[in-house]
Amino acid sequence: MLEFKYDTQLLIEGHDLDEDAIAEYFTQNFNGDSLLSVGDDELIKIHYHTNEPWKVLEYCASLGDIYDIVIEDMDRQSRGLQG
């Protein structure tokens, strides 16, 4: 069984976005791993493994518009199921 079940990916579109500040917020406020926060001040790509993807979505939506949201159950995928 995986420690963090959901592979959460999305894009944030906004103004004055700071990928380092976003990454720091994630590490201080969310349980998870495999964090990727890359982009520029108008578009950030997020990739994160967590058991609480709704918290990630809520935070990211507070920063700007979120889209291309993908949440995959990695446990189901590892068992060969659609996930």
Side-chain angles (χ1 to χ4, degrees), residues 45-63:
K45 167 74 175 187
I46 297 292
H47 172 270
Y48 194 56
H49 296 170
T50 184
N51 291 328
E52 302 172 318
W54 56 90
K55 290 183 179 181
V56 171
L57 296 177
E58 182 177 44
Y59 168 67
C60 292
S62 75
L63 300 174

Side-chain angles (χ1 to χ4, degrees), residues 1-9 47-54 69-83:
M1 182 123 184
L2 300 170
E3 182 178 4
F4 300 108
K5 185 175 178 177
Y6 297 104
D7 178 6
T8 306
Q9 303 174 48
H47 172 270
Y48 194 56
H49 296 170
T50 184
N51 291 328
E52 302 172 318
W54 56 90
I69 300 164
V70 176
I71 300 172
E72 296 179 320
D73 184 332
M74 296 184 297
D75 183 51
R76 286 182 57 85
Q77 288 178 333
S78 71
R79 293 183 283 135
L81 303 172
Q82 191 70 24

Side-chain angles (χ1 to χ4, degrees), residues 17-57:
L17 298 173
D18 182 337
E19 65 187 70
D20 295 328
I22 292 169
E24 185 176 332
Y25 186 90
F26 269 68
T27 58
Q28 292 179 357
N29 293 281
F30 301 137
N31 291 323
D33 65 10
S34 299
L35 175 62
L36 177 65
S37 171
V38 296
D40 57 31
D41 64 339
E42 294 180 357
L43 185 66
I44 301 284
K45 167 74 175 187
I46 297 292
H47 172 270
Y48 194 56
H49 296 170
T50 184
N51 291 328
E52 302 172 318
W54 56 90
K55 290 183 179 181
V56 171
L57 296 177

